[in-house]
Every structure is written in C-alpha cells, then in structure tokens.
Amino acid sequence: MALRDCLLISFLAISAMAQLSSASLKAGYYQSICPAAENIVRHTVNKAIARNPGLGAGLIRMHFHDCFVRGCDASVLLDSTAENPSEKQHPANNPSLQGFEVIDEAKAIVEAHCPSIVSCSDILAFAARDSAFNLGRIYYTVPAGRRDGRVSIEDEVSQNLPRPTSNAQELEKNFLQKGLSLDEMVTLSGAHSIGVSHCSSFSTRLYSFNATHPQDPSMDRAFVAYLKTRCPRPSNAKSNTDPTVPLEVGTPNRLDNTYYKTLRHHKGLLTSDQTLFTSPSTAKLVRKNTKHNSEWGMKFAAAMVRMGSIDVLTGTQGEIRKNCRVVNW
Ligand code: HEM
Ligand SMILES: *[C@@H]1O[C@H](CO)[C@@H](O)[C@H](O)[C@H]1NC(C)=O
C-alpha cells in the first residue's frame, strides 16, 4: 500500500474516534484561581466513603459513564427536565449510579470559596481519583480545565456505554471508539474490584443462558449456586426486587488486582468480566495483571488520566455550571 493511502486510512480512523485532549488540560489548573478546590473535593469524598465505602465505587463509575457519553463534560450529572430525559434516566444509570450527593456537596463548598470557577466535570474527575486513592492507595495527578456541557440525552447512553453482556471483541471496539487501547480496556475493567452489581445485570448467566445451557458454562458451578441464593429467578412473580452482590467476591472495598485472580477462577460476575479471561486476545493481559498489584495500579492510574481526557470541553466551550444538576440560565 502506498504511504499516502496508509496515512489517509489512519487519518480517517483517527477522525472517527474520540478526541483524547490531555494536552489542553493542565495539572494544578486551580492552583492560582481556586487553590482550595482539590482539597475540598478530597475532604468531601473521604468523609462520604467513611460513611459508606460504596460511594467510592459509585464515583469512579460515574466518571467513566460521564466520559464515555459526550466526553467528560458532566453530562451525566444533569437532571432530566420536562422536555428532556437526560443520561441519568437511562437504565444503565438509573437506579444503580450513586454518589450524586457527594458531588453536590463538594460543589456547594467549592462555590462558596470561589464562585463559577471550578467545573462539575473537574470535580467529578478529582472525586474519582480521590476514591481510587482512598480504596486502593492508587494516586495520580488529574490534569484539569474541563468545562461543563449543556446537553444530556438519555438515548445516547446505550450507543456509547459497553454492555455487561458484551464479549471481548465488542468491548475492544467500544473502547477503541473512545481512543482507549485493548490493554487500557482490560486495565480499567479492574475497577470491578470494588462495588456491587444488581442481579438483573447478570441473571441470564444463572437462569437462562441459551437453548442447551441453562447456566453459563464459563462460570464456576459453586459460584453459580451461591449467586442463585442471592438472586431470585427473574420470572418469579414475587421478585420485584433486584438485590445487589459484590462485583468481586474477595475484597469488595479494596481496589486491587484480586479481580483478575477471580477471573482465572471463573468467578467473574458479568459476562463482560469473564470474557476477558475466556477470550485469547485478553487472557494474557489478565494473567499479567494478576502478577503485580503495583504495576496494575500504575497502569490503572495512567488509564484513568487518559479516560478523563476523552472529548473534553476547554477554553470558551461549554460553561462552568453553578449547580451540577442544571445548566446555567
Ligand atoms: C468494560 C466494560 C464495562 C461494563 C460492561 C461495565 C458494566 C457494569 C455493570 C453492569 C455494573 C453493575 C451495575 C448494577 O447493576 O448495579 C458495573 C458496576 C461498576 N463499574 Fe463497570 N463496566 C465496565 C467498565 C467499567 C470501567 C471502565 C469502570 C471505571 C474505571 C467501571 C467501574 C465500575 C464500578 C466502580 C462499579 C460498581 C459501582 C457501585 O458499586 O456503585 N466499570 N459496571
Ligand atoms: C450455548 O453456549 C455454549 C457455551 O458458550 C455453546 O457451546 C453452545 O453452542 C450454545 N448453544 C446454543 C444453542 O447457542
């Protein structure tokens, strides 16, 4: 192939992808314009996690759901209005996404210190970082200067977020569309080392897998039996409830590489977890991540920074929201 064609193809491939603009974000962005900002967020997040460790998981997930839909622009924080159902309302976020009050509290204190300076999208990026430190001693600097979007559309969620039923190829494609590599996809999935899942996100694996197998053969049998005691059969009339179980059986409040070890034991909760070990393209990355927790932690930190720069608004784009739940007047 001629070099020119090759360049053309790579140009087309790149322009179809999300923009990772870490270059336009700056570490220490608020140092001179609102020096208390990062401390306020950290303090608020630590206080919330001390009360309920699940909120740390919620904040990390919230940052991911923000960045994958319209970029990291705090679109996930906007409430629905009478005319417009927002991202929040989508079943991937409602009712499972948690931690909104933590962001509200941090924003209120930050606004009292320096009104209209610090964006909700930066507060969320800081809060996710502070959660990773609190629960996993994983530390990284968050380049900041994001601005907040004015648009949030429920229907855009399913087009952009990966599904818990996805296989490795689908997950790879989804992350690639956001400019993240296969390795980064596997690394970031390690966030499922903390937090919980509702039974509805994986119950087909237990009760109605396919025509020949009622349960997913890639799941450890004892694990299936245990999960059945926690999750009622979806067809049960009395089961209007949707209980939650830890995403990782071992240490659900500890952000570490134990997640990858559970995959090797066929105890991944979601299809999108277990597929990382079942699929040859990702199995070796899973194996590598089981070896050294600190190496995985450093890769996780770097991947969070990259995820945090997807399609960001900067400069004069967007706005600095006053209230993270509504666009400015
Ligand atoms: C690889 C594709 C991914 C899929 C398909 C996926 C899907 C899911 C699902 C279905 C849940 C449970 C929701 C529920 O039923 O309550 C969940 C929880 C969670 N996800 Fe993911 N996720 C993915 C990647 C990520 C990434 C990249 C992160 C962050 C870096 C992340 C962080 C979390 C956290 C922390 C929780 C627990 C939330 C809580 O306890 O409140 N996930 N995810
Ligand atoms: C059911 O799943 C198993 C394991 O993935 C597979 O081998 C089998 O072909 C599937 N059967 C049908 C009918 O799809």
Side-chain angles (χ1 to χ4, degrees):
M1 187 171 11
L3 178 62
R4 199 191 46 209
D5 297 340
C6 192
L7 289 175
L8 180 62
I9 287 167
S10 28
F11 171 75
L12 290 174
I14 288 165
S15 52
M17 281 183 352
Q19 225 52 61
L20 266 69
S21 335
S22 40
S24 53
L25 301 175
K26 286 187 187 59
Y29 181 82
Y30 294 109
Q31 215 136 64
S32 59
I33 54 177
C34 185
E38 291 199 41
N39 286 337
I40 292 169
V41 176
R42 179 164 28 84
H43 179 75
T44 309
V45 167
N46 286 341
K47 207 177 61 171
I49 292 177
R51 215 170 49 229
N52 172 6
L55 291 172
L59 290 166
I60 292 175
R61 181 171 184 235
M62 192 184 286
H63 184 42
F64 161 53
H65 284 202
D66 182 30
C67 293
F68 267 53
V69 185
R70 277 192 176 261
C72 317
D73 68 342
S75 53
V76 75
L77 300 178
L78 288 172
D79 283 344
S80 294
T81 62
E83 314 83 63
N84 179 57
S86 68
E87 290 173 25
K88 252 184 197 180
Q89 199 150 318
H90 190 278
N93 292 327
N94 180 26
S96 60
L97 204 59
Q98 53 171 340
F100 293 108
E101 322 72 38
V102 183
I103 300 298
D104 289 339
E105 188 183 341
K107 176 66 171 174
I109 304 171
V110 167
E111 282 298 295
H113 274 74
C114 8
S116 298
I117 303 279
V118 184
S119 66
C120 296
S121 41
D122 278 343
I123 289 176
L124 180 51
F126 295 145
R129 182 267 313 271
D130 298 333
S131 299
F133 184 72
N134 189 307
L135 299 172
R137 292 293 169 256
I138 293 172
Y139 186 80
Y140 54 95
T141 303
V142 173
R146 296 169 189 78
R147 293 176 53 96
D148 300 324
R150 293 178 50 84
V151 177
S152 179
I153 300 168
E154 179 185 5
D155 288 348
E156 290 183 347
V157 173
S158 25
Q159 301 155 25
N160 290 283
L161 279 186
R163 289 167 216 282
T165 50
S166 297
N167 63 34
Q169 287 70 40
E170 292 161 343
L171 296 174
E172 176 178 15
K173 192 167 158 237
N174 177 264
F175 276 64
L176 217 59
Q177 276 165 353
K178 301 297 168 187
L180 298 172
S181 70
L182 185 68
D183 190 26
E184 287 170 321
M185 184 273 284
V186 175
T187 298
L188 288 169
S189 294
H192 288 179
S193 165
I194 52 173
V196 296
S197 171
H198 288 77
C199 291
S200 55
S201 298
F202 59 86
S203 57
T204 54
R205 299 189 73 196
L206 310 179
Y207 295 109
S208 50
F209 184 63
N210 71 17
T212 45
H213 293 74
Q215 59 196 48
D216 189 337
S218 74
M219 190 183 257
D220 177 82
R221 283 173 151 216
F223 191 46
V224 172
Y226 157 74
L227 290 172
K228 282 181 164 176
T229 68
R230 302 287 306 270
C231 299
R233 187 182 284 273
S235 52
N236 272 4
K238 67 173 167 76
S239 62
N240 262 334
T241 60
D242 190 1
T244 59
V245 298
L247 275 160
E248 182 208 287
V249 263
T251 51
N253 290 326
R254 189 97 230 123
L255 180 58
D256 61 17
N257 68 342
T258 314
Y259 164 82
Y260 300 100
K261 299 177 192 172
T262 66
L263 301 186
R264 286 175 51 175
H265 295 119
H266 305 278
K267 290 178 179 172
L269 191 63
L270 310 175
T271 298
S272 59
D273 295 320
Q274 197 56 53
T275 186
L276 302 180
F277 187 68
T278 318
S279 163
S281 65
T282 47
K284 55 181 183 301
L285 297 170
V286 168
R287 281 210 186 79
K288 232 169 95 188
N289 288 332
T290 59
K291 298 227 169 82
H292 302 288
N293 187 48
S294 62
E295 265 168 46
W296 167 76
M298 284 188 294
K299 283 204 304 178
F300 184 78
M304 285 294 280
V305 171
R306 295 242 310 145
M307 185 181 87
S309 68
I310 296 171
D311 284 338
V312 291
L313 304 175
T314 55
T316 56
Q317 297 171 310
E319 63 186 19
I320 305 295
R321 240 176 257 158
K322 287 186 191 310
N323 172 344
C324 293
R325 292 175 182 268
V326 291
V327 297
N328 293 345
W329 183 243

